[in-house]
Amino acid sequence: MLDAIGVAAGRAVQAVLRARGGKGSGGPGLVTNRIAPGLLPRVLASFPGGLVVVSGTAGKSTTTKMVTAVLRAHGLRVFTNSSTANLPQGITSAVLDEGDWRGRVDADIAVLEMDEAFGAKIAAMYRARVVTLTNINLDDIARFESYERVIRLLTTIAQRADGAVVLNADDASLSRVAVSVRDTGRTVRRFGVSSQVMSDQPYGLGYVRTEPGRMAPADGTVVESIDGRSAVLADAAGSFPLTLPARGAHFAVDAAAAVETAREVLGARFDRDLAARTLSELKPVFGRGETVEIQGQRIECVLVQNTASFQLNIDALGSARERLFVGIGDEEEDTSWLWTVHTGSLGRVDIVGGPKADAMANRLAYDGVVFDAVDTDLIRAFEAFLALPAPAHGDKTVVFTSRSMRKIRGHYGLTTQEVRSGSR
């Protein structure tokens, strides 16, 4: 009875929020969890094929979406949570969307993105068939003060796996997690990049600590090479190509993580060619490499959320963009982290906009990046960017932080229907 009451109350809050134009990804689940605290644990234990948990600093959303797509392509009915809804209330809100009046979800398996801290906090609520850990990067030091604490959190999550733990072979911090779970008899599977891919990243892949050596394809799934959105992955059976949802080594690493996770879940049923085709057709996760249409112009959206994602995304962009806008929102109370990002590869920026545009422009200037205008009014700056002539080749490109991205999208009424094909 409590489950039914909790679901009804959560859906009522959901309806009100959506009527007011909100997404309602957290509040409804929070209400449901307070009324029916036993609902979420029961749901997480209800799937015949078990639960796959994806956690780590960066890449959780994209990896979760990729694993979900590959499993669905193999015929499984998958329950999952949307990007950014990775706290307990967000997962419960996904239950409100997909479940019946008692919260029961009709699916074969669940693939859930979980925040590092909350995934560990609610560890007693779930057992996972597979746990996949993406990385530990500098952003988590900012959140948790010490990467040692993050290792402990992710170890707690990994120890909820009844089957395998899938780990990033290039992240030395996760190697310590591997030792912890191996001592308990769990299987450890790995993904990583080749020596060539690593050497092509001038500032690394953003991990707090990076392993000195690279993993061989015989030991897991390896990103062998990357060229724009084209990548070649390799495993014990050989190399295979695929197309990434957006440019960047981090997206290729997410793809390798997804392949290795799906392989563990599906076993003998895993079809590598089907997985590669599925990933090649996948649309980007919200804001991450999408191409949208605004006032008749194609705009490539590059979301940066921390030092690592900022660095990897602008390294992937390079200086080839003819029209470039950088937007820094007012969520950046402390802009000192911008000085940890090497921006010189951008070469030139048309307009720097947003409440913290001056701080961003200062960083660009020290790196010798030329910019034409700076405006702390985000929308006015973006309107000026739209007014610039179209590039001779490709699309206009926008690099923005989370809040500036949402403000721009909200101002122009962008929804998933406005999302076009991935970046070129």
Side-chain angles (χ1 to χ4, degrees), residues 300-313:
E300 180 186 0
C301 303
V302 180
L303 175 64
V304 297
Q305 297 178 290
N306 51 54
T307 299
S309 70
F310 205 142
Q311 191 67 68
L312 289 165
N313 276 298

Side-chain angles (χ1 to χ4, degrees), residues 75-89:
L76 293 181
R77 297 172 301 158
V78 183
F79 168 69
T80 191
N81 53 334
S82 64
S83 171
T84 73
N86 58 17
L87 305 184
Q89 57 265 35

